[in-house]
Amino acid sequence: MEHETLEAVHTHTHTHTHKYVYKNGKNEELRTEKLDVNMSVLIKGIAIIFMVIHHLFAFPAWYIKGIDYSSVKILGKTLTECTLYSFKICVNMFAFISGYAYFYNKTPNIKYGVKKIFKLLKRYWFILFLVFIPLSLLRNASKITGKVILLNLFALDKRIITFSWYVYFFIFIMLTLPYVTKLFNGKKIYEFVFPIVCFTSLTLIVNYLKGVIPKEYIWIINDISNILYCYPTVIIGYLIAKYDAFNNFFNKYMKPKYLWQALIIILLVLGCRSKYEKIININLDIIYVPIIIYALIIAFSNIKNQFIIRFIKILGENSLNIWFLHSIIFANAWVGDIFQKIAFLPKNPILVVIWVFAILLPISIFINWVFKKQEIVTEKIKNKYVKKKSV
């Protein structure tokens, strides 16, 4: 299943291979030096696990009465402290994959971008109208005005699907990357410094505007902040692909060979990010994300348990749906209180995460099935109409 927001679009082949990955029921070789299509699906599987954990436990203010994890401690830290910054890396993992994949696109122009945007929007609109708008109408029909629906079509109003901002971010990067990538002139230092200087400067300006702009327009500034937060990591992903950095740099200087080494690197990155997310408004994910993705590539190349590989692959294939669907647990403005009670029934944090995926994954798979059927019917009607017109 192809997910446009997060897809790896390249089909680049490599001579260096290592170990295996589960694909189509068989053990196949896995390229460790590159983030190929199969590997990107596995990375998305991990990223969506990080995201769900982050949203479940990092924001106690979202909890309804009776749900409280303030007493849960890990190495002396609360669950909120452990998940607030470390697992927030998930969004920029998706952003990195988008940038990395864009390098391998053979037609990096606006036409290609519009095509990808429309594919994403079809999926987003399908979930919006099939799941979220009907549920919201049942609970609070008076709030679902034409204006609210119109703004939600492009995720500019997030009261229906709260975790939908990546929609407008994806639209923005698809429309701007054809021009931004033309600024790169082949000088490595310039290309890697450019996103840091440019987006740090813009972030400082936006932070200043937050203090002076009228409150009714603050949502615009927040949306711009989200874009500036992730865009540098998109560019870093593009440059890592361009210079084959996983092979030419990471393999040369890091050289992890075993699963335990990769896991230590992942834990160190998450630990560092929990303490240092930014330095002087520079989002450090431009450093953290390439390292953690490289470590995950090595980790997956050493995992022999096919059940684990298959399960994470399924999560990756459903990551876009789960991204939208898990909004309904607690952050949807009108129906979250109902589903939050269900989501936190197991009480134990680990069991809560397993339980949430046990609920959302079958729903996602069903949505995929309905979406596919809808596309088949639409295609048949379209072909029938074209035939009639030609006659």
Side-chain angles (χ1 to χ4, degrees), residues 376-391:
I376 291 169
V377 171
T378 305
E379 192 64 29
K380 282 182 180 178
I381 294 170
K382 184 181 172 183
N383 291 338
K384 195 175 180 180
Y385 176 75
V386 170
K387 267 189 179 181
K388 270 189 177 182
K389 200 173 180 182
S390 62
V391 171

Side-chain angles (χ1 to χ4, degrees), residues 306-325:
Q306 289 305 301
F307 174 80
I308 294 173
I309 295 292
R310 182 189 292 187
F311 178 70
I312 294 175
K313 184 172 183 286
I314 292 170
L315 288 182
E317 290 169 341
N318 288 272
S319 58
L320 180 58
N321 289 352
I322 294 172
W323 187 326
F324 297 142
L325 286 171

Side-chain angles (χ1 to χ4, degrees), residues 173-185:
I173 63 175
M174 284 294 108
L175 294 179
T176 57
L177 275 176
Y179 306 103
V180 172
T181 53
K182 285 180 181 178
L183 298 173
F184 300 143
N185 61 5

